[in-house]
C-alpha cells in the first residue's frame, strides 16, 4: 500500500525516513543449551552492548534534559553492573544449562517480586529499574532494537500506534519532522501539540504501523490528511512544490503579525493563543497573539515523577505573565485525566476516563494539589494580566466550591503580607452540556466563559474525541453545537461579560465566520493558526456573518452548514 488516509491533525508537508516508535517483540522459548561457556559469553556480550547504549543515552539525557532526568539512567547502569544480579544469571546458565534469555528473565523476575513486596517506595522503584534493564539486555540477546526516541539524531517521521501527550512533549523538534499514528483524532492532545510545535501530522490512519517499515521514505501530508509511503522522486518533487506554496502563503499571512484583528466592517475581536508551557510564548509572539486564551497547566505536571512545587509553578506562571507584557493570560487550573495521565498520582484505572475523576473533580477532592497551584497563581498575579479559569465545570456548586478555595488562599497570602493583584478575572471552561444549557445562571457569577469545544462536542455528540471510528460524529458545525455556543455567548453578553472559545473550533476556517457572526469576543487557538484566522476575519463583514450564523442555526445537518459557509466566503 502506498497511500494511507487519516485525519489531518497538523498542517504542512514533511518528507523524511520513517522511525517506528513500536515496541519490538521480546518473546522467546525456554531452552536447554549445550555449550554453557558460549552462552555465558553471549550473555556478557549483550550486557556489554546494553551498557554502552545506556551510557550514551545517559550522556544525551544530561545535555537535553538535565542531570535530574539523566539520574534514572545512572540507576539503570548500576543495576546492569550489579554482581548480585549478574552472578545468579551466569550460575543458572552454567548449572542448569538454561539459555541466557530464560536465565535472565527468571532471575530478574525473582528480584522484581522481592522488591515489589517491600514496604518501601525506594525499593519498589528499584523493581522498575530492573524491569527496564532486563528489557534492554533481552533485546540485545534477541537481536532486536528497543525504541528510543531521545536518541534520534537524524530527520525522521515518527510512526506509532498512538502518541501520548508526554511522548509528544519529548519529541525533539530538530529531528522529528512529522508523525503519523494509527489512532487519535484532531483534538487528541498529541494532535494539538503537533500544531503548536508546527510538526505536520496525520493521525487515525488505522494501519500506519503495519504498512510502514523503518527507513521507508514517508511523506506526511498534513494538509490533506494523507501519508504517502515510498513515493517516486517525481512525486517527492511535487510535494516539495506544495510545501513551498504553503510556506509562501504563510509568508503572506505573516505580514499581519502586528495588526489588530478587525473585520471588514470594523468589529474588533481578540485572537489569542493556546499554550502548554512557557516555551510556547515565542510562537505566540511570532504569530501576533493578542493574549494567551488558554494555558494548559497540566503539562507542568507531566514528564516528571512528582508534583511540581509551589515555587516551580510560580516561576512558570510569572514567566508567562511577564512574557506577555500586560496582555491577557488565561490560566486554566489543572485538567488532568482523560488522555492526560500523571502516573505518580497512582489513580485507579477507570472504564471511561473522559467521564471520570478528572480536572476540577480531582482538584476539589485532592485539595492540597489545588491549593498549591492557586497559591502559585495568586503570587504570580502581580506580574501581568492574569485571569484564572476552572476546567470541566458541570454545576454551579463546583464553581462556587472552587472559587471559595481560591478566596481562602488569597486571604491567607494577604495575611502573610504577599502581594496579590487587586482584580483577577475568574471564569470557567464550558465543556459540559449542562453548563452550556445553564449558562444564563453561571453568567451571573463568573467573569467570563471560555468554550472548550474539544470536550463540548464529544459530550454533546457522545463521540470519543480520540476514536477515529466515531470521528464522523465529531461535528463542530452541527447546528446542535452551534446552538449551544450561541446560548453561552448570549448568556455572557446579557450579563455584560465576555465569551471566548479555546477549543480547536476557534481556529477552524469553516467555523470562524459563524463564530464571528454569533458574537464571540475572543478566539483562542494554536499560535500557528492565528495569522490565517486574522487574514480571514479582515475580509469578512460581521453583519454578513450574523445572517450566515442565523441561517446555520436553523439548518438540519453539518453538510448544509459547511456548504453555506463555503458559498458565503472566499478563502485565501
Ligand atoms: C477543550 O476541551 O476544548 C479544551 C480546550 O480543553 P482540552 O483540549 O485540554 O481538553
Ligand atoms: Mg477540555
Amino acid at each position: 500500500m502506498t497511500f494511507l488516509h487519516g485525519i489531518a491533525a497538523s498542517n504542512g508537508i514533511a518528507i523524511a525516513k520513517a522511525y517506528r516508535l513500536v515496541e519490538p517483540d521480546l518473546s522467546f522459548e525456554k531452552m536447554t543449551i549445550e555449550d554453557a561457556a558460549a552462552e555465558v559469553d553471549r550473555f556478557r556480550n549483550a550486557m556489554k552492548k546494553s551498557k554502552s547504549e545506556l551510557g550514551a543515552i545517559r550522556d544525551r539525557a544530561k545535555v537535553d534534559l538535565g542531570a535530574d532526568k539523566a539520574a534514572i539512567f545512572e540507576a539503570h547502569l548500576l543495576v546492569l553492573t550489579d554482581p548480585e544480579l549478574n552472578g545468579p544469571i551466569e550460575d543458572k546458565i552454567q548449572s542448569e544449562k538454561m539459555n541466557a534469555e530464560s536465565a535472565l528473565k527468571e532471575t530478574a523476575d525473582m528480584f522484581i517480586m522481592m522488591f515489589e513486596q517491600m514496604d518501601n517506595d525506594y525499593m519498589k522503584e528499584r523493581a522498575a529499574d530492573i524491569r527496564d534493564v532486563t528489557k534492554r539486555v533481552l533485546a540485545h540477546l534477541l537481536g532486536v532494537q528497543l525504541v528510543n526516541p531521545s536518541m534520534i539524531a537524524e530527520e525522521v517521521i515518527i510512526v506509532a500506534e498512538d502518541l501520548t501527550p508526554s511522548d509528544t512533549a519529548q519529541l525533539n523538534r530538530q529531528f522529528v519532522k512529522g508523525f503519523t499514528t494509527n489512532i487519535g483524532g484532531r483534538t487528541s492532545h498529541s494532535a494539538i501539540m503537533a500544531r503548536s510545535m508546527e510538526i505536520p501530522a496525520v493521525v487515525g490512519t488505522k494501519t500506519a504501523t503495519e504498512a510502514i517499515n523503518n527507513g521507508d521514505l514517508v511523506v506526511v501530508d498534513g494538509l490533506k490528511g494523507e501519508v504517502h509511503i515510498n513515493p517516486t522522486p517525481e512525486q517527492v518533487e511535487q510535494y516539495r512544490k506544495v510545501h513551498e506554496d504553503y510556506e509562501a502563503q504563510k509568508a503572506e499571512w505573516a505580514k499581519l503579525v502586528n495588526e489588530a484583528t478587525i473585520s471588514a466592517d470594523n468589529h474588533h475581536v481578540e485572537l489569542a493563543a493556546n499554550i502548554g508551557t512557557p516555551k510556547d510564548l515565542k510562537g505566540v509572539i511570532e504569530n501576533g497573539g493578542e493574549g494567551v486564551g488558554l494555558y494548559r497547566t497540566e503539562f507542568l505536571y507531566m514528564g516528571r515523577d512528582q508534583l511540581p512545587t509551589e515555587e516551580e509553578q510560580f516561576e512558570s506562571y510569572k514567566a508567562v505573565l511577564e512574557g506577555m507584557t500586560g496582555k491577557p493570560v488565561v490560566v486554566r487550573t489543572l485538567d488532568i485525566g482523560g488522555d492526560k495521565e500523571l502516573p505518580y498520582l497512582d489513580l485507579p484505572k477507570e472504564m471511561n476516563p473522559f467521564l471520570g475523576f478528572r480536572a476540577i473533580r480531582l482538584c476539589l477532592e485532592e485539595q492540597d494539589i489545588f491549593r498549591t497551584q492557586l497559591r502559585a497563581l495568586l503570587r504570580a498575579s502581580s506580574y501581568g494580566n492574569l485571569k484564572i479559569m476552572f476546567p470541566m465545570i458541570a454545576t454551579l456548586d463546583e464553581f462556587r466550591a472552587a472559587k471559595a478555595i481560591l478566596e481562602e488562599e488569597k486571604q491567607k497570602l494577604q495575611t502573610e503580607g504577599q502581594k496579590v493583584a487587586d482584580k483577577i478575572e475568574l471564569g470557567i471552561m464550558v465543556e459540559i452540556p449542562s453548563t452550556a444549557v445553564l449558562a444564563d445562571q453561571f453568567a451571573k457569577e463568573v467573569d467570563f466563559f471560555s468554550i472548550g469545544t474539544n470536550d463540548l462536542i464529544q459530550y454533546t455528540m457522545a463521540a470519543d474525541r480520540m476514536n477515529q471510528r466515531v470521528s464522523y460524529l465529531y461535528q463542530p458545525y452541527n447546528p446542535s453545537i452551534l446552538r449551544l455556543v450561541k446560548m453561552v455567548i448570549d448568556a455572557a453578553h446579557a450579563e455584560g461579560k465576555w465569551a471566548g472559545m479555546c477549543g480547536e473550533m476557534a481556529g477552524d476556517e469553516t467555523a470562524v465566520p459563524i463564530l464571528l457572526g454569533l458574537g464571540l469576543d475572543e478566539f483562542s487557538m494554536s499560535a500557528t493558526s492565528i495569522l490565517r484566522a486574522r487574514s480571514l476575519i479582515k475580509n469578512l463583514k460581521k453583519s454578513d456573518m450574523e445572517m450566515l450564523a442565523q441561517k446555520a442555526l436553523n439548518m438540519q445537518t453539518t453538510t448544509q452548514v459547511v456548504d453555506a459557509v463555503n458559498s458565503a466566503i472566499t478563502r485565501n
Side-chain angles (χ1 to χ4, degrees):
M1 200 187 317
T2 53
F3 272 103
L4 302 177
H5 298 274
I7 296 166
S10 176
N11 280 341
I13 304 276
I15 309 169
K17 293 261 169 70
Y19 180 96
R20 288 164 48 84
L21 207 57
V22 181
E23 288 293 345
D25 180 6
L26 293 179
S27 57
F28 60 87
E29 301 266 322
K30 184 171 178 178
M31 283 188 298
T32 310
I33 41 109
E34 301 276 311
D35 186 348
E39 194 65 0
V40 168
D41 270 355
R42 198 165 75 84
F43 170 66
R44 287 186 182 167
N45 203 10
M47 294 293 274
K48 211 165 115 193
K49 284 188 188 153
S50 305
K51 210 163 126 190
S52 76
E53 196 173 69
L54 265 175
I57 295 174
R58 176 205 50 201
D59 296 345
R60 181 67 163 271
K62 263 191 196 153
V63 177
D64 291 352
L65 309 169
D68 264 18
K69 295 258 161 65
I72 174 100
F73 301 112
E74 206 67 70
H76 288 186
L77 275 164
L78 278 178
V79 174
L80 206 55
T81 44
D82 188 348
E84 301 236 12
L85 180 73
N86 299 343
I89 298 172
E90 295 193 7
D91 285 352
K92 243 183 200 313
I93 297 174
Q94 266 150 349
S95 60
E96 297 178 38
K97 296 248 180 291
M98 194 185 273
N99 59 336
E101 287 86 345
S102 310
L104 167 69
K105 183 86 180 30
E106 287 188 9
T107 313
D109 281 353
M110 186 197 69
F111 279 108
I112 291 168
M113 208 165 73
M114 202 171 88
F115 283 135
E116 273 179 345
Q117 279 166 359
M118 290 184 186
D119 197 16
N120 171 326
D121 283 349
Y122 178 80
M123 284 307 180
K124 283 190 178 149
E125 279 169 30
R126 299 293 70 79
D129 291 342
I130 297 177
R131 196 174 280 121
D132 252 57
V133 168
T134 310
K135 230 167 88 179
R136 188 167 303 282
V137 181
L138 203 52
H140 281 296
L141 282 171
L142 295 167
V144 295
Q145 186 71 44
L146 284 185
V147 293
N148 192 352
S150 64
M151 291 301 280
I152 295 172
E154 57 174 351
E155 295 193 349
V156 294
I157 304 279
I158 298 281
V159 180
E161 169 74 15
D162 187 19
L163 284 176
T164 63
S166 67
D167 288 335
T168 317
Q170 285 170 43
L171 298 180
N172 182 337
R173 300 179 195 201
Q174 192 188 347
F175 297 120
V176 176
K177 294 290 144 194
F179 70 75
T180 180
T181 58
N182 292 0
I183 64 174
R186 218 186 123 73
T187 58
S188 52
H189 284 94
S190 51
I192 292 171
M193 288 168 76
R195 284 197 283 286
S196 70
M197 291 160 83
E198 284 197 74
I199 297 178
V202 175
V203 299
T205 60
K206 298 192 183 85
T207 53
T209 55
E210 273 168 48
I212 304 174
N213 296 312
N214 259 335
D216 280 349
L217 184 67
V218 171
V219 177
V220 170
D221 183 345
L223 298 165
K224 278 198 192 148
E226 278 176 3
V227 177
H228 197 158
I229 308 163
N230 291 325
T232 63
E234 293 75 36
Q235 288 167 329
V236 170
E237 226 13 76
Q238 283 163 10
Y239 281 114
R240 289 204 199 285
K241 177 82 182 59
V242 178
H243 173 72
E244 278 163 23
D245 290 349
Y246 182 63
E247 291 299 313
Q249 175 69 80
K250 279 190 357 199
E252 272 306 305
W253 293 329
K255 293 180 183 155
L256 303 175
V257 66
N258 294 317
E259 294 198 13
T261 313
I262 299 175
S263 69
D265 55 351
N266 230 5
H267 176 77
H268 178 253
V269 292
E270 187 180 302
L271 293 196
N274 295 348
I275 64 168
T277 90
K279 280 195 224 141
D280 296 338
L281 273 194
K282 189 166 165 277
V284 179
I285 290 157
E286 283 170 5
N287 286 287
E290 294 165 73
V292 168
L294 166 64
Y295 177 3
R296 287 186 167 93
T297 54
E298 45 281 4
F299 291 104
L300 258 171
Y301 294 68
M302 288 169 23
R304 46 188 295 145
D305 44 25
Q306 60 199 16
L307 288 162
T309 61
E310 182 183 317
E311 211 48 39
E312 282 174 272
Q313 295 192 52
F314 165 73
E315 289 301 334
S316 299
Y317 305 148
K318 176 170 169 259
V320 172
L321 285 161
E322 286 183 334
M324 288 307 288
T325 56
K327 296 195 183 101
V329 174
V330 182
V331 180
R332 173 174 78 184
T333 58
L334 183 64
D335 179 10
I336 215 66
D339 62 338
K340 292 172 290 195
E341 291 181 14
L342 284 189
Y344 57 85
L345 282 190
D346 218 11
L347 296 167
K349 279 257 169 278
E350 296 187 335
M351 296 280 279
N352 290 304
F354 274 103
L355 299 181
F357 185 58
R358 56 174 292 202
I360 199 69
R361 304 165 184 191
L362 183 144
C363 284
L364 290 175
E365 188 90 13
E366 307 279 340
Q367 287 198 12
D368 288 352
I369 299 178
F370 193 37
R371 287 178 188 270
T372 304
Q373 178 170 43
L374 294 176
R375 283 175 68 85
L377 277 169
L378 290 164
R379 282 175 51 206
S381 62
S382 54
Y383 292 88
N385 182 359
L386 173 69
K387 301 169 198 288
I388 297 177
M389 70 177 168
F390 302 130
M392 297 291 293
I393 293 285
T395 66
L396 260 166
D397 293 332
E398 281 176 339
F399 171 68
R400 289 175 184 155
K403 182 176 174 182
I405 295 174
L406 179 74
E407 289 301 329
E408 272 175 37
E409 290 307 321
K410 189 170 170 187
Q411 289 286 323
K412 276 194 227 160
L413 283 170
Q414 281 169 337
T415 317
E416 289 165 23
Q418 303 248 27
K419 207 166 150 212
V420 178
D422 290 337
K423 174 76 193 133
I424 303 171
E425 284 190 19
L426 185 59
I428 57 167
M429 302 261 313
V430 182
E431 300 169 277
I432 300 181
S434 62
T435 302
V437 171
L438 212 60
D440 57 333
Q441 299 300 338
F442 278 96
K444 298 185 201 324
E445 301 192 23
V446 302
D447 294 320
F448 66 92
F449 290 128
S450 186
I451 309 173
T453 46
N454 302 343
D455 280 317
L456 184 63
I457 299 168
Q458 79 165 342
Y459 298 138
T460 306
M461 308 296 290
D464 183 347
R465 66 195 260 192
M466 305 283 289
N467 184 341
Q468 78 281 4
R469 299 195 71 171
V470 295
S471 62
Y472 75 99
L473 282 170
Y474 197 87
Q475 301 183 358
Y477 330 117
N478 188 293
S480 61
I481 303 294
L482 301 180
R483 288 184 188 193
L484 285 178
V485 169
K486 178 176 161 52
M487 282 170 80
V488 178
I489 298 173
D490 289 351
H493 292 173
E495 296 292 333
K497 313 283 169 70
W498 61 272
M501 180 180 285
C502 59
E504 292 302 302
M505 183 174 174
D508 178 306
E509 272 198 298
T510 302
V512 165
I514 303 179
L515 298 172
L516 179 69
L518 290 175
L520 191 72
D521 303 296
E522 179 236 35
F523 298 60
S524 192
M525 57 192 76
S526 311
T528 48
S529 304
I530 290 176
L531 291 166
R532 189 183 56 184
R534 182 168 296 154
S535 152
L536 176 63
I537 291 173
K538 280 174 79 72
N539 291 317
L540 301 175
K541 278 199 178 138
K542 179 164 187 276
S543 52
D544 291 348
M545 295 307 110
E546 281 169 2
M547 286 189 303
L548 172 69
Q550 196 49 46
K551 269 199 259 164
L553 287 166
N554 290 311
M555 284 175 172
Q556 294 175 323
T557 66
T558 289
T559 318
Q560 288 172 339
V561 174
V562 174
D563 291 345
V565 174
N566 284 341
S567 49
I569 65 164
T570 37
R571 292 177 202 269
N572 46 14

